[in-house]
Amino acid sequence: MDITLIAAAALTAAEVLAAAPDSDWRALEPARTLYMELASGRVVIELAPAFAPAHVANLETLARARYFDGLAIYRVQDNFVAQWGDPDERGAFGEAKTSLAPEFTRPLRGLPAFRRLPDADTYASQAGFVQGFPVARDAKRAWLVHCYGMVGAGRGNPADSGNGAELYAVIGSAPRLLDRNVTLVGRVVQGIERLSALPRGTGKLGFYETAAERTPIRSLRLAADLPEAERGRLEILRTESTTFGRLVELRRMRRDDWYKEPAGRVDVCNVTVPVRDMPAAAGPAR
Amino acid sequence: MDITLIAAAALTAAEVLAAAPDSDWRALEPARTLYMELASGRVVIELAPAFAPAHVANLETLARARYFDGLAIYRVQDNFVAQWGDPDERGAFGEAKTSLAPEFTRPLRGLPAFRRLPDADTYASQAGFVQGFPVARDAKRAWLVHCYGMVGAGRGNPADSGNGAELYAVIGSAPRLLDRNVTLVGRVVQGIERLSALPRGTGKLGFYETAAERTPIRSLRLAADLPEAERGRLEILRTESTTFGRLVELRRMRRDDWYKEPAGRVDVCNVTVPVRDMPAAAGPAR
């Protein structure tokens, strides 16, 4: 048996990641990164215009108009979602639209590179990643899927009643039954615990019963609209990279001092997309 | 088209549940129900001796010896687990065993009735429910699976190093990669939010960095060891019942004023097993 191959197989995920060239990483683009500032700190959301261009554009308009500043997280339902926006629906959309055609799925034509996972997915014929986002597809369409940390645009009963002014983040077991029923707009890449550890609402569907229980939103801004010194320096591992493919394989075949029986399979919502702070040498001077 | 069939199909999950005969429900058995008392209230855990008889017996011995009283929840890792026991490993196991053969899986022979789900499972050839617990199986063995709220016996690197003295509950996206690598002992049937909404630990793997951050455990007791007046009156819908089968089908084919596109499939960790307070008339006199 080839000793080199054994050694390669024994690399840990941390070692694979440490060996990745800087080109396997990409900085979050300020123009498609949202910062939601809470008293507890910042929640960083990467937007997915490749899947929900109209909702993302509307959300950017709302953020620029400071629509969310002073609003609140008003619903936290255990094992489901934390939701924020304007519980009193006072309006003031300014130039933003109040209703949008649903963007539940998108055509395959023009879809950026799809990193397909090799294992069966309960809910779709294929599952994998596009630009860091968990995605499912069939023969004609692709869609973002409801994994932990995904952010969607709440809507009422009409399919076109979402607009990006009411947002939710998944804080429980992947609610895949929502897939293709609501427009997902992005993913929390840092700070999800500022939402997932909030007290659960005791009203129906996890709504808080009093305004005092809500968590105020200090501001919600596009990173591009902040001075550079106030922006974070996060990088995401490219899910198209060979390194990411190796990490997926290590996760499927995980066997180490603790793991005895590798699953040999992995679900799209059980794969973590690595995030890091940009190495200091590669960052801009401050 | 048959009007009656349309009406039947239009029944909501709430209506199906309301129409269930009392015989579709079973009371939690005090002899296999644990109450963990925190300052925030009670966490109710149903034990699964059909899958982990030795671990459950040891855990009962520990509970009877009041092993857990005054110990703490000392690890909360976001999107993974809350873990409790003795962070200082002071010991004092009394009559309980300190190591147990793993009970990661069990033979099919003698397995109680298996409610199989009709859809593909990423991790196993079949998935479904046994006595209210999420279960997967292959041609030879069956095992409890790591859905939200499942409770397991932490262990060190040796497979036989678990003993029930360190427990964890799943508080995030179902970590199915743990299946068949650790002994699951039961499921939180009420009060999981008292664990899932705890502050996340900032140390490695979500351990709290200071003792002050831990959540003390006032007591952990078998319901059977409490006076009847202090016991809860919870009932679980029998997963063997026709009613449960109908609920699963409604969930797979969910279409209502809000849901536009039924998934047509369901994952074992996306099925909720209904819990209710025993109807007053059926309960013991107090």
Side-chain angles (χ1 to χ4, degrees):
Chain A
M1 209 168 167
D2 185 326
I3 296 273
T4 314
L5 279 180
I6 295 171
L11 279 183
T12 64
E15 289 164 341
V16 167
L17 212 46
D22 280 343
S23 57
D24 280 358
W25 296 87
R26 61 178 171 81
L28 281 180
E29 282 180 38
R32 56 185 182 103
T33 302
L34 287 176
Y35 296 146
M36 179 161 68
E37 306 289 352
L38 307 175
S40 61
R42 178 179 281 182
V43 179
V44 181
I45 298 167
E46 184 175 28
L47 298 168
F51 289 86
H55 283 73
V56 166
N58 213 48
L59 177 47
E60 289 172 357
T61 301
L62 289 165
R64 288 219 158 98
R66 309 198 166 188
Y67 172 84
F68 291 94
D69 301 17
L71 295 181
I73 300 166
Y74 57 82
R75 175 192 182 193
V76 182
Q77 184 172 3
D78 194 64
N79 191 19
F80 195 44
V81 296
Q83 187 169 332
W84 63 93
D86 182 359
D88 304 316
E89 300 191 8
R90 289 166 305 191
F93 272 59
E95 294 175 18
K97 292 174 178 151
T98 54
S99 82
L100 291 171
E103 295 175 304
F104 300 163
T105 66
R106 58 153 286 159
L108 291 186
R109 177 188 292 263
L111 184 72
F114 179 65
R115 156 76 65 184
R116 183 180 177 178
L117 294 178
D119 306 306
D121 181 86
T122 298
Y123 292 99
S125 56
Q126 295 182 25
F129 290 87
V130 171
Q131 294 180 336
F133 295 100
V135 168
R137 52 164 284 187
D138 60 19
K140 293 183 179 168
R141 314 279 299 176
W143 56 94
L144 295 173
V145 304
H146 281 82
C147 296
Y148 194 88
M150 289 296 287
V151 176
R155 65 165 174 85
N157 286 343
D160 66 355
S161 58
N163 51 43
E166 306 296 321
L167 298 170
Y168 65 89
V170 172
I171 58 161
S173 207
R176 297 281 308 271
L177 296 166
L178 292 176
D179 291 357
R180 298 184 296 160
N181 277 283
V182 62
T183 300
L184 288 164
V185 298
R187 185 173 77 91
V188 175
V189 294
Q190 193 172 67
I192 184 69
E193 73 281 1
R194 304 191 199 290
L195 304 175
S196 59
L198 289 173
R200 277 42 179 161
T202 49
K204 198 180 166 193
L205 301 176
F207 285 89
Y208 290 122
E209 298 185 87
T210 61
E213 295 170 271
R214 296 173 187 157
T215 299
I217 298 168
R218 290 184 173 171
S219 66
L220 190 149
R221 294 270 195 286
L222 268 177
D225 292 340
L226 290 186
E228 197 164 304
E230 293 176 30
R231 295 181 203 161
R233 298 152 56 85
L234 290 182
E235 294 190 327
I236 311 279
L237 188 73
R238 294 181 192 276
T239 48
E240 316 85 83
S241 69
T242 305
T243 299
F244 184 74
R246 285 197 187 117
L247 291 175
V248 167
E249 201 49 34
L250 278 172
R251 202 152 170 76
R252 294 179 71 241
M253 301 310 297
R254 187 162 180 174
R255 189 191 285 277
D256 54 31
D257 290 343
W258 194 88
Y259 273 87
K260 311 302 177 191
E261 183 75 34
R265 323 185 194 178
V266 76
D267 176 271
V268 64
C269 292
N270 284 149
V271 175
T272 305
V273 178
V275 174
R276 70 172 185 184
D277 278 313
M278 190 183 296
R286 298 186 86 164
Chain B
M1 212 169 166
D2 186 321
I3 294 276
T4 314
L5 279 180
I6 294 173
L11 279 183
T12 65
E15 289 164 341
V16 168
L17 212 47
D22 279 345
S23 58
D24 280 358
W25 296 87
R26 61 179 172 82
L28 281 180
E29 283 181 36
R32 55 184 181 104
T33 302
L34 287 177
Y35 296 147
M36 179 162 68
E37 307 288 351
L38 308 175
S40 61
R42 178 177 282 181
V43 179
V44 181
I45 298 167
E46 184 175 30
L47 298 169
F51 289 86
H55 282 73
V56 166
N58 213 46
L59 177 49
E60 289 172 357
T61 302
L62 289 165
R64 289 218 159 96
R66 308 200 167 189
Y67 173 84
F68 291 95
D69 301 16
L71 295 180
I73 300 166
Y74 57 82
R75 174 193 183 193
V76 182
Q77 184 171 2
D78 194 64
N79 192 19
F80 196 42
V81 297
Q83 187 170 333
W84 62 95
D86 182 359
D88 304 316
E89 300 189 8
R90 289 164 305 191
F93 272 59
E95 294 176 19
K97 292 174 178 151
T98 55
S99 81
L100 291 171
E103 295 175 303
F104 301 163
T105 65
R106 58 153 285 160
L108 291 187
R109 178 187 292 261
L111 183 72
F114 179 63
R115 157 74 66 182
R116 183 180 177 180
L117 294 178
D119 306 305
D121 182 85
T122 298
Y123 292 99
S125 57
Q126 295 181 26
F129 291 86
V130 172
Q131 296 179 335
F133 294 100
V135 167
R137 52 164 286 188
D138 60 19
K140 294 182 179 169
R141 312 280 298 175
W143 55 94
L144 295 173
V145 304
H146 280 82
C147 296
Y148 194 88
M150 289 296 288
V151 176
R155 65 166 174 85
N157 286 343
D160 66 355
S161 58
N163 51 43
E166 306 294 323
L167 298 170
Y168 64 89
V170 173
I171 59 160
S173 207
R176 296 282 307 271
L177 297 166
L178 292 175
D179 291 357
R180 297 183 297 160
N181 278 283
V182 64
T183 300
L184 287 164
V185 298
R187 184 172 79 91
V188 175
V189 294
Q190 193 173 68
I192 183 69
E193 73 281 2
R194 306 191 198 289
L195 305 175
S196 58
L198 289 173
R200 277 42 181 161
T202 49
K204 199 181 166 194
L205 301 177
F207 285 90
Y208 291 122
E209 298 185 87
T210 62
E213 295 169 273
R214 297 173 188 158
T215 299
I217 296 168
R218 292 184 173 172
S219 68
L220 189 149
R221 294 271 195 286
L222 267 177
D225 292 340
L226 290 187
E228 195 165 304
E230 293 177 28
R231 294 181 201 161
R233 300 153 55 86
L234 289 183
E235 295 190 327
I236 311 278
L237 188 72
R238 294 181 192 276
T239 49
E240 316 84 84
S241 67
T242 306
T243 299
F244 184 74
R246 286 195 187 120
L247 290 175
V248 168
E249 200 49 35
L250 277 174
R251 203 153 168 76
R252 295 177 72 242
M253 300 311 297
R254 187 163 179 173
R255 188 194 285 277
D256 54 30
D257 289 343
W258 193 88
Y259 273 87
K260 310 302 177 189
E261 184 76 34
R265 321 182 194 180
V266 75
D267 177 270
V268 65
C269 292
N270 283 150
V271 176
T272 305
V273 179
V275 175
R276 70 174 184 183
D277 279 313
M278 190 183 297
R286 298 189 87 162

